[in-house]
Amino acid sequence: MTAAPPPALEVEGVAFAYPDGHQALFGVSFRIQPGERVALLGPNGAGKTTLVLQCNGVLLPGAGRVAVTGLPVAAEHLKEIRRRVGIVFQDPDDQLFMPTVAEDVAFGPANLGLRGAELETRVKAALAAVGMEEHAARPPHHLSFGQRRRVAVATVLAMEPDILILDEPSSNLDPASRRELAEIVTGLDVTILMVTHDLPYALQLCPRALVMNGGAITADGPTAELLADAELLAANRLELPFGFDPAALRVR
Amino acid sequence: MGGGHSHALYLPGTSPLHRARPQCKLAAAFLFVLAVVATPREAFWAFGVYALLLTGLARVARLPLPTLARRLVIELPFLLFALFLPLVGQGERVEVLGLSLAREGLWAAWNIVAKGTLGVATSVILAATTPVPELLRGLERLRLPAAFTTVAGFMVRYADVIVDEVRRMRIARISRGHDPRWIWQARAVAATAGTLFIRSYERGERVYLAMVSRGWTGSMPVLQELGATRGQWLAALCLPALAALVAATAWGTRP
Ligand SMILES: Nc1ncnc2c1ncn2[C@@H]1O[C@H](COP(=O)(O)OP(=O)(O)OP(=O)(O)O)[C@@H](O)[C@H]1O
Ligand SMILES: [Mg+2]
């Protein structure tokens, strides 16, 4: 028996159709090793969010399998799966629903059965990780958008996930907030899968990238190499921002 | 984003009234109003005592009386209704300033005005000293079904988000030349309502997904034990006990 550690996330031949019959995923396969930071790139409607929802069993694949550090995503393991996989959704207003920031951060770990002092330390640590300790007692809807995004990250960190999935974390953030979020993300010691339309951001944070289009993975490799491949980008409706020089990527 | 409409009624403070347990305050307010309603309408002095009690409470909580008075305005429609009663009432009539008024109608109007004002004043003080989330927790402690308090909590949480969405849609409409003064433009308003419904519904779905993703299984976790001690209950129930005493005396001394 070889004792290689199981991949942090293993997706194998996953196909999925929404109840209205719309087929969103056509046999998606990839593996992410523990500690990796991977970007998931692709145009609108590629199926990125749909794929993310397969990873913690909110949607269950019609065919194929998903496993998180060796544990298959299936109805009987959902509680443990949801502890291992933390998803930060695109709109923080969808994620923050408790009366105060601290209670919102406590929601996840409390669902895992934590109480009292243990719960409190978790909440404090998670808020400290995103630099939001002093806002613990405020209602989430009184915070700025960037602050809400950070709290949303904290709500998931408080569950101490093995893998953190961020769905378009930099959208609607001003450049300073984007940089702060990048610092938070690079400072974390977890496996990360980050969905983004922001290619330079992906390059900055994730050494590896997956490109998705039309419900299938069309490329998988080092981010710098993928972004330097103009044909690949064009074929997948991906565009670098104006003035961004892909040639500069090769020297890296 | 929203400016926090849902917290507009709360006036922050550190008075004993602010610090009292929400479930005690709720129970006390409810019982107090019961006592007020049960008081015979002829006992003018009793209503005076109630008003004094409430003013004293507002003093203790250091609430600005003018602000409270302004909030009483929400009962105006009921007062207008009460005003009509003496005019349209049947039976024995009395002359007041040359107007022929029904005696029974006058009593009914006084009854509504006095008890209504006291009831509204009680809620105004309660709302000014208790933030909405705490009120909900108090209701939960009073054994209201969790489904009710959870739904109410979400309504409070998302009221701002939805109000904001309405505002954005209105701006989008008028930016494209919509002028809601004309009746044929009512269609656009109706369409907005429809869109708002769908957006809110979809938002609900996304919130649900986010909750499930964080291990939610159908009941909100209890994060803080907000139990009240016997002493806290006793202190809170002083007010309705006094009011009950007043009501009982009013009945006892009725001519
Ligand atoms: N609830 C749903 N019911 C039916 N079809 C859906 C549903 N949600 C998404 N789809 C469809 O599935 C496909 C993939 O959608 P998905 O949200 O995964 O895209 P995405 O890659 O996340 O796009 P974006 O970059 O715009 O967020 C799209 O064609 C979309 O129309
Ligand atoms: Mg998406």
Side-chain angles (χ1 to χ4, degrees), chain A residues 56 58 82 89 91 93-99 103-104 106-108 110-111 115 119 141-142 148 155 159, chain B residues 1-2 4 6-7 133 137 154 157-158 160-161 203 206-207 209-216 220-223:
Chain A
N56 77 341
V58 165
R82 283 170 188 164
F89 289 90
D91 185 348
D93 272 328
D94 294 343
Q95 188 137 10
L96 307 175
F97 42 77
M98 296 292 274
E103 282 173 81
D104 217 302
F107 178 83
N111 282 327
R115 292 290 182 275
L119 183 59
H141 52 284
H142 288 181
R148 270 180 281 156
T155 63
M159 301 180 75
Chain B
M1 274 276 93
S6 47
H7 296 264
R137 250 177 256 139
F154 279 114
R157 165 63 183 92
Y158 284 98
D160 285 353
V161 175
R203 158 99 52 196
R206 292 199 304 272
V207 173
L209 287 184
M211 291 174 74
V212 167
S213 297
R214 285 203 273 154
W216 187 64
M220 291 310 243
V222 179
L223 299 175

Side-chain angles (χ1 to χ4, degrees), chain A residues 16-25 42-53 59 90 167-168 195 197 212 215, chain B residues 205:
Chain A
F16 177 82
Y18 277 102
D20 68 354
H22 184 93
Q23 180 94 21
L25 299 177
N44 290 133
K48 305 180 298 292
T49 301
T50 311
L51 179 62
V52 164
L53 294 176
L59 299 176
Q90 192 170 345
D167 197 349
E168 301 190 28
V195 177
H197 291 290
M212 207 177 172
Chain B
E205 230 170 32

Side-chain angles (χ1 to χ4, degrees), chain A residues 208-221:
Chain A
R208 177 182 162 203
L210 301 166
V211 177
M212 207 177 172
N213 197 4
I217 300 284
T218 51
D220 177 352

Side-chain angles (χ1 to χ4, degrees), chain A residues 2-73:
Chain A
T2 54
L9 180 64
E10 185 175 15
V11 175
E12 218 178 84
V14 166
F16 177 82
Y18 277 102
D20 68 354
H22 184 93
Q23 180 94 21
L25 299 177
F26 297 86
V28 172
S29 301
F30 62 89
R31 283 169 177 217
I32 296 178
Q33 298 305 327
E36 266 193 296
R37 281 205 300 269
V38 180
L40 180 57
L41 313 173
N44 290 133
K48 305 180 298 292
T49 301
T50 311
L51 179 62
V52 164
L53 294 176
Q54 313 279 330
C55 296
N56 77 341
V58 165
L59 299 176
L60 292 171
R65 59 184 281 276
V66 181
V68 179
T69 41
L71 188 71
V73 174

